[in-house]
Amino acid sequence: MPRGRYSLFDPHDHTPLGDEHFQCATGPSGWRYVSQLTSPSGAPAGSVDLTLDTLGRPLRLQLAAAHWQIRGAAVDGLTWVRSDPGGDHAQEGNAAAHAFTGVSPAFLVATARLLRPARGAAPTRVRLVTFAPPVLAPRTVDQAWSLVSSEAHATDSAPLIADEYQVSDLQTGEQHTVHLAGDVVLAAPGVELEDLESPPSQFD
Protein backbone atom coordinates (compact mmCIF):
# COMPACT_ATOMS: atom_id res chain seq x y z
CA MET A 1 0.00 0.00 0.00
CA PRO A 2 1.89 3.08 -1.19
CA ARG A 3 1.89 5.98 1.24
CA GLY A 4 3.69 9.27 0.81
CA ARG A 5 3.61 12.96 0.07
CA TYR A 6 3.37 15.06 -3.06
CA SER A 7 4.22 18.75 -3.18
CA LEU A 8 1.92 20.78 -5.42
CA PHE A 9 2.83 24.02 -7.17
CA ASP A 10 1.66 26.27 -9.99
CA PRO A 11 3.16 24.73 -13.16
CA HIS A 12 3.61 28.18 -14.75
CA ASP A 13 5.33 30.24 -12.05
CA HIS A 14 6.13 27.47 -9.50
CA THR A 15 4.22 29.16 -6.68
CA PRO A 16 3.84 26.55 -3.88
CA LEU A 17 0.23 25.37 -3.45
CA GLY A 18 0.80 22.99 -0.55
CA ASP A 19 1.23 19.27 0.07
CA GLU A 20 -0.90 16.20 -0.48
CA HIS A 21 -0.40 13.34 2.00
CA PHE A 22 -1.74 10.19 0.36
CA GLN A 23 -2.18 6.46 0.51
CA CYS A 24 -3.61 4.16 -2.14
CA ALA A 25 -4.18 0.47 -2.73
CA THR A 26 -5.25 -1.97 -5.41
CA GLY A 27 -7.73 -4.74 -4.68
CA PRO A 28 -10.07 -7.23 -6.34
CA SER A 29 -12.70 -4.52 -6.81
CA GLY A 30 -10.34 -1.89 -8.25
CA TRP A 31 -8.26 0.92 -6.73
CA ARG A 32 -8.75 3.46 -3.95
CA TYR A 33 -6.86 6.65 -3.22
CA VAL A 34 -7.32 8.87 -0.17
CA SER A 35 -5.41 12.00 0.77
CA GLN A 36 -5.34 15.06 2.97
CA LEU A 37 -4.23 18.41 1.55
CA THR A 38 -2.41 21.12 3.45
CA SER A 39 -1.70 24.72 2.49
CA PRO A 40 1.87 26.09 2.25
CA SER A 41 1.49 27.17 5.89
CA GLY A 42 0.55 23.62 6.92
CA ALA A 43 -3.15 24.33 7.55
CA PRO A 44 -5.75 21.75 6.40
CA ALA A 45 -6.89 22.57 2.85
CA GLY A 46 -9.14 19.71 1.80
CA SER A 47 -9.23 16.02 0.97
CA VAL A 48 -9.58 13.53 -1.88
CA ASP A 49 -11.27 10.11 -1.82
CA LEU A 50 -11.41 8.34 -5.19
CA THR A 51 -12.43 4.75 -5.88
CA LEU A 52 -12.14 3.09 -9.31
CA ASP A 53 -13.56 -0.21 -10.51
CA THR A 54 -11.38 -2.83 -12.22
CA LEU A 55 -11.84 -1.08 -15.58
CA GLY A 56 -10.71 2.28 -14.21
CA ARG A 57 -14.17 3.87 -14.07
CA PRO A 58 -14.94 6.16 -11.09
CA LEU A 59 -17.17 4.31 -8.66
CA ARG A 60 -17.04 7.16 -6.16
CA LEU A 61 -15.42 10.55 -5.82
CA GLN A 62 -15.43 12.79 -2.77
CA LEU A 63 -13.55 16.09 -2.89
CA ALA A 64 -13.38 18.73 -0.21
CA ALA A 65 -11.87 22.19 -0.47
CA ALA A 66 -12.17 25.40 1.54
CA HIS A 67 -15.95 25.76 1.68
CA TRP A 68 -17.18 23.31 -0.95
CA GLN A 69 -17.39 19.58 -1.50
CA ILE A 70 -18.07 17.26 -4.44
CA ARG A 71 -19.67 13.83 -4.45
CA GLY A 72 -19.69 12.09 -7.80
CA ALA A 73 -19.71 8.80 -9.71
CA ALA A 74 -20.02 7.32 -13.19
CA VAL A 75 -23.82 7.38 -13.57
CA ASP A 76 -25.38 8.34 -16.93
CA GLY A 77 -21.96 9.56 -17.99
CA LEU A 78 -20.72 11.45 -14.94
CA THR A 79 -23.02 12.75 -12.22
CA TRP A 80 -22.02 14.85 -9.22
CA VAL A 81 -23.40 17.04 -6.47
CA ARG A 82 -21.54 20.23 -5.47
CA SER A 83 -22.45 21.66 -2.10
CA ASP A 84 -21.26 23.56 0.93
CA PRO A 85 -20.14 21.37 3.87
CA GLY A 86 -23.56 21.64 5.47
CA GLY A 87 -25.30 20.53 2.30
CA ASP A 88 -27.55 23.59 2.24
CA HIS A 89 -26.64 24.81 -1.23
CA ALA A 90 -26.47 21.62 -3.30
CA GLN A 91 -26.20 21.77 -7.09
CA GLU A 92 -26.40 18.60 -9.18
CA GLY A 93 -24.42 18.29 -12.39
CA ASN A 94 -24.15 15.77 -15.21
CA ALA A 95 -21.93 15.49 -18.27
CA ALA A 96 -21.38 13.05 -21.12
CA ALA A 97 -17.80 12.40 -20.01
CA HIS A 98 -15.63 9.42 -19.12
CA ALA A 99 -13.92 10.34 -15.85
CA PHE A 100 -13.09 13.08 -13.37
CA THR A 101 -9.88 15.05 -13.17
CA GLY A 102 -8.42 17.87 -11.09
CA VAL A 103 -5.33 19.08 -9.26
CA SER A 104 -4.71 15.85 -7.32
CA PRO A 105 -2.13 13.41 -8.78
CA ALA A 106 -4.75 10.70 -8.19
CA PHE A 107 -6.54 11.77 -11.35
CA LEU A 108 -3.46 11.22 -13.52
CA VAL A 109 -3.23 7.63 -12.31
CA ALA A 110 -6.97 7.19 -12.79
CA THR A 111 -6.98 8.49 -16.38
CA ALA A 112 -4.02 6.33 -17.38
CA ARG A 113 -5.75 3.32 -15.80
CA LEU A 114 -8.98 4.04 -17.67
CA LEU A 115 -7.37 4.56 -21.08
CA ARG A 116 -4.48 2.07 -20.95
CA PRO A 117 -2.99 3.34 -24.23
CA ALA A 118 -0.66 0.99 -26.06
CA ARG A 119 2.89 2.15 -26.69
CA GLY A 120 3.25 3.49 -30.21
CA ALA A 121 -0.50 3.62 -30.82
CA ALA A 122 -2.41 6.72 -31.89
CA PRO A 123 -3.34 9.08 -29.03
CA THR A 124 -6.49 8.11 -27.13
CA ARG A 125 -9.06 10.86 -26.73
CA VAL A 126 -10.98 11.30 -23.49
CA ARG A 127 -13.52 13.78 -22.12
CA LEU A 128 -13.07 14.65 -18.45
CA VAL A 129 -14.80 16.81 -15.86
CA THR A 130 -12.42 18.87 -13.75
CA PHE A 131 -13.19 20.74 -10.52
CA ALA A 132 -11.15 23.90 -10.12
CA PRO A 133 -10.10 24.91 -6.57
CA PRO A 134 -10.85 26.66 -4.33
CA VAL A 135 -14.59 26.62 -5.14
CA LEU A 136 -14.54 23.30 -7.06
CA ALA A 137 -16.27 24.79 -10.09
CA PRO A 138 -16.91 22.06 -12.71
CA ARG A 139 -15.61 22.32 -16.27
CA THR A 140 -15.40 19.81 -19.13
CA VAL A 141 -12.03 19.28 -20.82
CA ASP A 142 -10.94 17.13 -23.77
CA GLN A 143 -7.53 15.47 -23.72
CA ALA A 144 -5.51 12.98 -25.76
CA TRP A 145 -3.15 10.52 -24.07
CA SER A 146 -0.35 8.50 -25.63
CA LEU A 147 2.18 6.13 -24.06
CA VAL A 148 5.61 7.28 -25.18
CA SER A 149 7.87 4.80 -23.40
CA SER A 150 8.12 2.23 -20.61
CA GLU A 151 11.38 1.67 -18.77
CA ALA A 152 12.22 -0.99 -16.19
CA HIS A 153 14.25 0.03 -13.13
CA ALA A 154 15.86 -2.59 -10.90
CA THR A 155 14.75 -2.67 -7.24
CA ASP A 156 15.40 -4.96 -4.28
CA SER A 157 12.20 -6.90 -5.00
CA ALA A 158 10.85 -6.71 -8.55
CA PRO A 159 11.60 -4.41 -11.49
CA LEU A 160 9.77 -1.08 -11.31
CA ILE A 161 8.17 -0.07 -14.61
CA ALA A 162 8.10 3.69 -15.22
CA ASP A 163 5.74 4.85 -17.96
CA GLU A 164 6.01 8.16 -19.79
CA TYR A 165 2.79 9.63 -21.20
CA GLN A 166 2.26 12.62 -23.43
CA VAL A 167 -0.95 14.47 -22.61
CA SER A 168 -2.47 17.02 -24.99
CA ASP A 169 -5.21 19.52 -24.20
CA LEU A 170 -7.37 19.39 -27.32
CA GLN A 171 -8.90 22.80 -26.65
CA THR A 172 -5.67 24.77 -26.21
CA GLY A 173 -3.13 22.56 -27.97
CA GLU A 174 -0.87 22.55 -24.90
CA GLN A 175 1.14 19.37 -24.28
CA HIS A 176 2.87 18.05 -21.20
CA THR A 177 4.52 14.87 -19.95
CA VAL A 178 3.42 12.63 -17.08
CA HIS A 179 5.63 9.95 -15.52
CA LEU A 180 3.90 7.14 -13.63
CA ALA A 181 5.08 3.99 -11.87
CA GLY A 182 2.09 1.79 -11.09
CA ASP A 183 -0.27 3.88 -8.98
CA VAL A 184 2.24 6.60 -8.07
CA VAL A 185 3.04 9.79 -10.01
CA LEU A 186 6.80 10.20 -10.30
CA ALA A 187 6.63 13.61 -11.98
CA ALA A 188 4.07 15.80 -13.73
CA PRO A 189 3.43 19.53 -14.22
CA GLY A 190 2.73 21.01 -10.82
CA VAL A 191 3.52 17.76 -8.98
CA GLU A 192 6.64 16.45 -7.26
CA LEU A 193 6.85 13.18 -5.33
CA GLU A 194 8.62 14.12 -2.11
CA ASP A 195 8.26 10.99 0.06
CA LEU A 196 7.24 7.38 -0.61
CA GLU A 197 7.21 4.85 2.21
CA SER A 198 6.61 1.71 0.12
CA PRO A 199 6.87 0.73 -3.56
CA PRO A 200 4.04 1.55 -5.97
CA SER A 201 1.37 -1.06 -6.58
CA GLN A 202 1.34 -2.51 -10.08
CA PHE A 203 -1.95 -2.92 -11.90
CA ASP A 204 -2.72 -6.26 -13.53
Side-chain angles (χ1 to χ4, degrees), residues 11 19 46 112 131 148 175 200:
D19 288 343
F131 298 102
V148 177
Q175 295 183 334

Side-chain angles (χ1 to χ4, degrees), residues 16 36 50 68 76-77 118 134 145 194:
Q36 297 292 323
L50 175 64
W68 294 95
D76 296 327
W145 283 59
E194 300 290 353

Side-chain angles (χ1 to χ4, degrees), residues 8-201:
L8 308 178
F9 55 89
D10 187 302
H12 301 291
D13 62 13
H14 296 278
T15 300
L17 300 178
D19 288 343
E20 185 162 340
H21 302 261
F22 74 95
Q23 63 184 54
C24 53
T26 57
S29 60
W31 181 70
R32 187 179 182 195
Y33 176 103
V34 295
S35 68
Q36 297 292 323
L37 287 80
T38 57
S39 69
S41 68
S47 61
V48 179
D49 189 338
L50 175 64
T51 301
L52 308 180
D53 66 11
T54 55
L55 297 179
R57 298 172 299 193
L59 284 177
R60 184 185 67 171
L61 169 66
Q62 294 187 55
L63 287 180
H67 300 291
W68 294 95
Q69 63 183 14
I70 296 287
R71 295 179 182 271
V75 179
D76 296 327
L78 294 181
T79 298
W80 65 91
V81 175
R82 176 177 174 267
S83 68
D84 62 297
D88 298 325
H89 303 285
Q91 299 172 321
E92 186 170 327
N94 177 265
H98 303 93
F100 297 108
T101 189
V103 174
S104 173
F107 296 115
L108 299 174
V109 176
T111 304
R113 179 62 176 162
L114 175 69
L115 300 181
R116 306 181 200 189
R119 187 170 56 184
T124 303
R125 297 170 62 105
V126 63
R127 175 160 289 182
L128 306 168
V129 172
T130 183
F131 298 102
V135 297
L136 302 181
R139 181 170 62 91
T140 302
V141 297
D142 293 299
Q143 294 181 345
W145 283 59
S146 58
L147 179 58
V148 177
S149 65
S150 296
E151 185 175 350
H153 298 270
T155 68
D156 294 337
S157 52
L160 180 67
I161 307 299
D163 295 321
E164 177 183 344
Y165 296 89
Q166 184 178 76
V167 181
S168 302
D169 186 317
L170 298 180
Q171 294 162 317
T172 65
E174 292 184 2
Q175 295 183 334
H176 60 268
T177 301
V178 173
H179 296 268
L180 304 180
D183 58 355
V184 171
V185 177
L186 301 179
V191 178
E192 289 290 344
L193 179 64
E194 300 290 353
D195 296 304
L196 186 63
E197 295 181 10
S198 56
S201 300

